[in-house]
């Protein structure tokens, strides 16, 4: 056998299967159409829960869920540091926490401190085997090669005090204008929405032309931004734009036919998107319980490193005055944390009572503990539909073959059990039990998890939502089922229900590595 062909993992953020199918039918996505025609198309690849980009990106690159990789949401509460972590729900949300803090958490801490050291990324696994890795701007980039920041770009000049530390990434790393392992001539324009795909396409074409990778993570994020703004139906246009960038990369090899002779391609969504018509002000609804407010920060002070952002002890205690809980919206999902262990059970009961009465809250989940404080079972409840309790093990088998013990109202998850083989089906909430269980047992998750009903989105800390557009985050199928296309790469045994966490092992096996 010769060397395996090179592999490109193209993540098209939020690519909804129905929209990909429409783009292909309209002739707007000829490259993706070719990959589907020559490969395998999956229209129901399950995201993580919360189905938001940081959680999903970590699952894609590590092949595990957040109970192991530990990235729990778009916004979460760091118990050890007693502060909120915000990865960029919106510009206004970033302002509430301080732009400097948000950039540092997203660019550096997410990979260096927040992502578990015990879950290697595909970059790390492949780097260890001397596979030539490469990546364009993607939230998850952790690899074995050191990269120093660029000093001469608009972004690094703007935030020179923040973007001065090296990172460990793939062999070739191109991250906005901050890190670039080569001078490609490609510019990311501050990594602004709408131009990020073009930067990835430009870099991807350069890497193909100069034969610089065996594995490339080609990130095309603009579809998500466009769909948030114009609604999921608008995706036909942004998928067409993503397709143009794929064409640019393929053309660097002489066209799609030539490209596919030497490369396998995985094109996939991290999650999908659903229409938003209403919002939930969870921070306001739970205000009586004492919600910890964001620290805030002086933007320019933070960027220039002046001391103006630091506060006196008196101001801090005023901010925390009476705070009992932290509230962490992640678009169509949210988490609530108890600030002290002593009040955990009482707080959970209060949050639950209030949350059950909030319009637009679809599901509420928490973890019950035994007498030794070990997790004993997950509890999911839905206003008007009752309560379902579950734990791993037991007689029921879900669509991915996992075993569960389930009690209570199956209607909470619109679940059915087929008599003979004890098959548990939850089509409205795909892979529901495994996703909720990993969210509940993730050490960095909140004590109470919420999933919004179709049409609803939790307001972020900047008061922003995507009413009239699209969003995602919930356990519901509408946010959770993304497109997956495999071309030139096939699993040894295909799962009955695909999930995004299946992709990392597919990549590792493609290069003859099986880290399990
Ligand atoms: Zn999004």
């Amino acid at each position: 056998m010769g060397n395996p062909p090179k592999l490109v993992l193209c993540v098209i953020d939020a690519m909804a299967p129905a929209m990909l199918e429409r783009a292909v039918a309209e002739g707007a996505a000829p490259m993706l159409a070719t990959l589907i025609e020559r490969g395998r198309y999956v229209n129901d690849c399950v995201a993580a829960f919360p189905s938001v980009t940081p959680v999903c990106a970590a699952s894609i690159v590590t092949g595990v869920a957040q109970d192991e990789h530990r990235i729990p949401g778009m916004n979460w509460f760091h118990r050890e540091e007693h502060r909120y972590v915000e990865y960029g729900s919106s510009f206004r949300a970033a302002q509430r926490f301080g732009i400097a803090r948000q950039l540092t958490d997203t660019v550096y801490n997410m990979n260096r401190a927040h992502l578990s050291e015990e879950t290697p990324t595909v970059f790390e696994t492949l780097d260890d085997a001397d596979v030539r890795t490469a990546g364009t701007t993607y939230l998850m980039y952790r690899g074995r090669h050191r990269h120093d920041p660029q000093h001469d770009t608009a972004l690094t000049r703007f935030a020179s005090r923040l973007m001065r530390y090296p990172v460990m990434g793939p062999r070739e790393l191109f991250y906005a204008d901050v890190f670039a392992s080569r001078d490609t001539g490609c510019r990311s324009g501050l990594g602004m929405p709408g131009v990020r795909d073009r930067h990835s396409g430009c870099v991807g074409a350069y890497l193909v032309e100069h034969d610089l990778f065996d594995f490339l993570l080609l990130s095309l994020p603009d579809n998500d931004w466009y769909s948030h703004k114009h609604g999921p139906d608008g995706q036909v246009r942004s998928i067409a734009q993503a397709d143009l960038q794929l064409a640019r990369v393929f053309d660097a090899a002489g066209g799609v036919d030539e490209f596919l002779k030497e490369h396998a391609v995985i094109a996939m969504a991290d999650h999908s998107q659903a229409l938003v018509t209403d919002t939930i002000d969870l921070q306001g609804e739970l205000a009586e319980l004492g919600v910890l407010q964001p620290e805030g920060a002086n933007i320019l002070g933070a960027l220039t490193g002046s001391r103006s952002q630091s506060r006196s002890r008196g101001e801090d205690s005023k901010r925390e005055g009476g705070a009992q809980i932290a509230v962490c919206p992640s678009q169509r999902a949210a988490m609530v944390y108890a600030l002290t262990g002593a009040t955990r059970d009482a707080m959970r009961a209060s949050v639950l009572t209030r949350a059950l009465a909030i319009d637009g809250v679809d599901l509420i989940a928490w973890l019950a503990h035994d007498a030794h404080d070990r997790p004993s079972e997950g509890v999911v409840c839905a206003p008007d539909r009752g309560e379902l309790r579950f734990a791993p093990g037991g007689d029921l088998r879900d669509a991915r073959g996992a075993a569960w013990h389930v009690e209570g109202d199956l209607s909470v998850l619109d679940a059915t059990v087929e008599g003979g083989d004890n098959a548990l089906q939850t089509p409205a909430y795909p892979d529901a039990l495994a996703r909720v269980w990993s969210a509940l047992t993730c050490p960095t998750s909140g004590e109470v998890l919420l999933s919004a009903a179709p049409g609803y989105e939790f307001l972020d800390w900047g008061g922003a939502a995507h009413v009239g557009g699209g969003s995602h985050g919930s356990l519901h199928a509408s946010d959770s089922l993304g497109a997956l296309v495999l071309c030139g790469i096939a699993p040894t045994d295909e799962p009955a229900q695909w999930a995004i966490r299946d992709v990392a092992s597919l990549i590792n096996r493609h290069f003859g590595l099986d880290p399990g």
Side-chain angles (χ1 to χ4, degrees), residues 152-195:
D152 57 343
T153 71
L155 186 59
T156 49
R157 273 199 302 275
F158 176 64
S160 59
R161 295 192 62 98
L162 302 177
M163 305 296 178
R164 59 181 168 176
Y165 304 105
V167 294
M168 299 302 286
R171 182 179 299 210
E172 300 289 343
L173 175 66
F174 303 86
Y175 187 105
D177 283 330
V178 184
F179 302 102
S181 46
R182 284 166 199 269
D183 184 7
T184 57
C186 306
R187 290 282 170 263
S188 90
L190 288 175
M192 296 304 276
V195 298

Side-chain angles (χ1 to χ4, degrees), residues 13 53 224 228 271 273 331 472:
D13 200 318
T53 301
D224 182 66
H228 275 301
H271 50 72
Q273 278 207 17
Q331 302 178 340
H472 51 95

Side-chain angles (χ1 to χ4, degrees), residues 366 377-382 384-391 396 404-417 424 426 433:
W366 73 95
E377 58 181 2
V379 185
V380 186
C381 87
D384 310 326
R385 303 204 298 275
E387 186 180 288
L388 178 146
R389 308 177 84 88
F390 71 103
L396 299 184
W404 299 99
H405 177 79
V406 176
E407 272 174 42
D409 301 304
L410 290 176
S411 61
V412 168
L413 294 173
D414 288 339
T416 56
V417 175
L424 178 76
T426 58
L433 300 187

